[in-house]
Amino acid sequence: MDKTSNTVIKKASGVRCVIFDCDGTLVDSEILCNQALVNVFNRLGANLSLEECLRHFQGGKMVDILTETRERAGIKARIDDLEPMYRKECRQLFEQGLTPIKGVPELLDTLSHMGCDMCIASNAPISKIEHTLSLTGLLPYFEGKLFSGFQANSWKPEPDILHFAAMHMGVMLQECVFVDDTPKGVQAGINADIRTFHFAATPHSVKINHPRVTTITAMPQLLDHLEVDSVPVS
């Protein structure tokens, strides 16, 4: 966040499409996802705390997250058993209390009226993305514009999902910006050589210094950094 009123912000020009991550970027899911880890692993005999899980959470492929947590917790359960347990727990917690990130509905509405296209590029399955966005009322902004690592057969921090999303949106990566809240997600943007915004809104957010990365601490700040190459929609 800029601290002074005379700070000059270098804007991304010629932007035609904003590619968003979903969990933790558009929807306030980080605590719920980590609480699901706590619930599942502690039922199996671990002694994890929410604070510990939040401190270690780096995003990435679900199998990797479960594997790392399993090793840290000292639990000898099969990933094939853990993954459906975890997804079921997440779904239940999401239905009880998932909300959009503060300012996101207004941001998406503004981008839509500016004529800027938007899509999702997430490591999660399409069914989970749809459920998440539906619960928070955000799905209408992204109908037909959801792209998953399972479709690309590649997951962040690899850049392929971003190439996949841009291709299906009919734009070049140079005409896009990417927004993600996790280190692995941001690394995917770096690997794709796309201008990337790191949404760092929690005390656990890792500081990332890279010439292609801009840190924002509130989602509406994204508008301060964009020059959209489009005709506003009436």
Side-chain angles (χ1 to χ4, degrees), residues 179-195:
V179 190
D180 202 298
D181 67 303
T182 66
K184 288 186 178 179
V186 171
Q187 187 61 50
I190 293 170
N191 292 341
D193 196 27
I194 182 176
R195 178 156 180 187

Side-chain angles (χ1 to χ4, degrees), residues 18-29 98-114 116 118-120 132-142 179-181 199-201 216-223:
V18 180
I19 305 175
F20 289 100
D21 176 49
C22 186
D23 287 330
T25 300
L26 296 179
V27 299
D28 198 1
S29 57
L98 186 65
T99 59
I101 293 288
K102 184 177 180 180
V104 160
E106 296 82 2
L107 168 65
L108 299 183
D109 192 57
T110 299
L111 288 172
S112 178
H113 281 84
M114 290 169 67
C116 183
M118 300 174 284
C119 68
I120 302 287
T132 297
L133 294 176
S134 178
L135 287 173
T136 53
L138 302 180
L139 187 58
Y141 292 102
F142 298 102
V179 190
D180 202 298
D181 67 303
F199 177 50
I216 58 176
T217 56
M219 286 300 290
Q221 292 172 7
L222 181 66
L223 294 171

